[in-house]
Amino acid sequence: MKIFVVNCGSSSIKYQLFSMADETSLAKGILERVGTGNATLHHTAAQVGFDKDVDVPDHTAGMKLILETLVDGEAGVIKSVDEIVGVGHRVVHGGEELTRSSLIDEELIAVIRRNADLAPLHNPPNLAGIEAARRAMPNVSHVAVFDTAFLSTLPPKAYRYAVPERWHAEHHVRRYGFHGTSHRYVTLATAKLLGKAPDEVNLITAHLGNGCSMTAVSAGKAVDHSMGMTPLAGLMMGTRSGDIDPAVALYMISRGLSAQEVDEALNKKSGLLGVSGLGNDMRDLLVAADDGNERARLAVDMFVYRIVKYIGAYHAVVPDLDAVVLTGGIGENSRPVRRGICEGLAGLGVVGDEDRNQATIRGKTGPITADDSPLGVWVVPTNEELMIARDAQAIIAGSAV
Ligand code: ADP
């Protein structure tokens, strides 16, 4: 059974083809700068990759090109597109209505379109991808997997903001959360590693990539989460501020910035980039900090401090914790950041194990704490695409997810 996974941005299509019998990835890639006149395809199959300049005016042409590449004589991994039995689509915002992965039909498309106000940068390109893929593969089932779905179990006391009730009732202002597919994947994987049933495990999961978020998981369900109505809230990120006093935005407008400039600054010029002035890549900041760059050091210290603070808060919410789980590019690889997190959690009894921390990188799974640490910190690589493929497979087979 082969499942194709699609993640469409406004000018990009990320894709991956899975063979579900053994959950292996047969091919993956990204088509970038769709519609700009100088699109490129980066495609990898059997560990061999290539880059190619291509002529792709829109998502429909892009999808056609990707499918042709999958069946291409030399680089191809399947004989015919008919081998693909289903397609899983990443959709960022399910809003309040779409709380689980679902088969795509006209009605579902209408709801995703309605939710576009909540995710204007993401849902419209996600829909463009759905339409292009349905056109290219009209005879197979297409399934939508929502970033927000795993976080739909938050109780009202966690998802409501203390703002006028009408803002929620009329404008749907509330915490939704994002990265849910990643948090769900590592929750299920960690439950398995710890020998617990998925609905028994209590975790704090931290997705630390360019975007960063944290989820408190009780009995396998999300009960609190750091991102908000938009992905701007919570932890410090590559270019996003995370939590700030909301009055700062209004104050900067009173100092002469437009609302759009403030939005741009908080989303694209803040976080690690804003504080360090150097960039948003944690690797570069760690090198600079070691070389004595004080702004880089401060950016890293703030990043770690915010994570430690959130873990403390979520531990209070989920006292009976089985583990803290780190994932995403930084969580899976950045040894100094992980060491800082373990040291920062000493007050909660965490005892780091530096040998384990050094050894657990590049896709490895395992604890980075000592066996006798009262609270374990684990590194569990995420795989959102596989989670999407699993959901598509289950839904096509008629099971609930
Ligand atoms: P995205 O959220 O875009 O998927 P990733 O999960 O790939 O991003 O994470 C990107 C971040 O991971 C960057 O800050 C990058 O510096 C960091 N990262 C990746 N590999 C390493 C590494 N070996 N050491 C430190 N940081 C790393």
Side-chain angles (χ1 to χ4, degrees):
M1 187 175 193
K2 305 213 169 68
I3 300 274
F4 189 56
V5 173
V6 180
N7 178 1
C8 264
S10 57
S11 64
S12 70
I13 305 178
K14 258 195 197 167
Y15 60 92
Q16 195 161 171
L17 181 67
F18 287 96
S19 169
M20 297 310 288
D22 50 3
E23 294 193 333
T24 50
S25 167
L26 299 175
K28 63 177 174 180
I30 180 164
L31 182 61
E32 290 177 296
R33 296 190 295 276
V34 173
T36 62
N38 62 337
T40 53
L41 175 69
H42 179 73
H43 180 85
T44 307
Q47 268 128 40
V48 181
F50 65 81
D51 287 299
K52 192 159 95 175
D53 293 333
V54 287
D55 182 22
V56 176
D58 55 26
H59 284 83
T60 300
M63 198 62 71
K64 192 162 165 274
L65 176 85
I66 291 166
L67 293 177
E68 280 165 11
T69 308
L70 291 174
V71 299
D72 178 74
E74 274 171 43
V77 290
I78 47 176
K79 288 202 178 68
S80 153
V81 172
D82 295 342
E83 287 180 42
I84 297 173
V85 297
V87 184
H89 294 265
R90 177 196 184 211
V91 180
V92 166
H93 217 307
E96 294 194 289
E97 293 152 277
L98 303 173
T99 57
R100 54 180 56 226
S101 302
S102 316
L103 260 188
I104 296 175
D105 56 18
E106 296 312 319
E107 206 178 314
L108 193 87
I109 287 178
V111 184
I112 297 172
R113 191 164 286 128
R114 261 209 310 281
N115 288 327
D117 275 357
L118 294 168
L121 298 180
H122 293 105
N123 275 22
N126 295 160
L127 273 175
I130 289 172
E131 274 156 13
R134 284 177 99 205
R135 234 172 266 139
M137 290 170 277
N139 300 322
V140 301
S141 298
H142 292 249
V143 170
V145 178
F146 302 96
D147 264 30
T148 48
F150 183 60
L151 308 161
S152 65
T153 52
L154 264 55
K157 67 183 175 188
Y159 75 68
R160 283 291 299 275
Y161 293 129
V163 294
E165 149 69 19
R166 285 177 56 183
W167 291 18
H168 174 236
E170 287 177 24
H171 302 287
H172 312 288
V173 170
R174 51 162 284 184
R175 183 190 307 283
Y176 292 97
F178 300 90
H179 289 153
T181 308
S182 174
H183 289 285
R184 182 156 63 106
Y185 179 88
V186 296
T187 295
L188 293 172
T190 310
K192 207 167 173 189
L193 287 164
L194 299 177
K196 292 209 131 191
D199 60 357
E200 276 178 0
V201 75
N202 299 326
L203 302 170
I204 294 172
T205 55
H207 178 108
L208 309 175
N210 256 316
C212 300
S213 64
M214 198 179 291
T215 304
V217 177
S218 177
K221 286 200 161 47
V223 293
D224 208 344
H225 177 79
S226 63
M227 282 179 164
M229 173 160 167
T230 77
L232 185 56
L235 303 177
M236 182 171 163
M237 313 185 205
T239 63
R240 294 188 203 126
S241 63
D243 292 341
I244 60 162
D245 178 344
V248 169
L250 303 173
Y251 176 74
M252 290 312 294
I253 289 172
S254 81
R255 305 293 291 176
L257 293 191
S258 68
Q260 205 183 345
E261 283 167 337
V262 172
D263 185 61
E264 167 109 1
L266 294 177
N267 277 292
K268 300 199 174 140
K269 297 180 185 163
S270 297
L272 293 173
L273 168 67
V275 176
S276 72
L278 287 179
N280 64 337
D281 193 305
M282 182 56 86
R283 283 167 290 204
D284 299 340
L285 298 202
L286 289 168
V287 171
D290 281 348
D291 285 349
N293 183 311
E294 284 180 20
R295 284 178 63 183
R297 170 61 56 207
L298 176 63
V300 175
D301 286 352
M302 286 171 68
F303 184 87
V304 170
Y305 176 73
R306 186 84 59 99
I307 292 166
V308 167
K309 195 163 84 165
Y310 259 89
I311 291 174
Y314 286 177
H315 194 9
V317 172
V318 186
D320 198 9
L321 269 185
D322 295 308
V324 172
V325 181
L326 308 179
T327 196
I330 296 174
E332 292 170 30
N333 297 297
S334 183
R335 294 175 280 208
V337 168
R338 299 189 312 208
R339 185 167 55 242
I341 294 171
C342 288
E343 285 170 2
L345 294 174
L348 297 181
V350 167
V351 182
D353 180 316
E354 194 47 26
D355 290 339
R356 287 178 169 174
N357 184 34
Q358 290 297 324
T360 314
I361 53 163
R362 285 194 210 101
K364 291 215 180 85
T365 300
I368 54 167
T369 38
D371 286 335
D372 60 355
S373 179
L375 175 60
V377 178
W378 284 65
V379 172
V380 180
T382 193
N383 194 338
E384 290 161 276
E385 292 79 10
L386 179 57
M387 191 79 249
I388 293 172
R390 282 181 186 164
D391 273 13
Q393 181 187 30
I395 286 176
I396 290 165
S399 325
V401 292

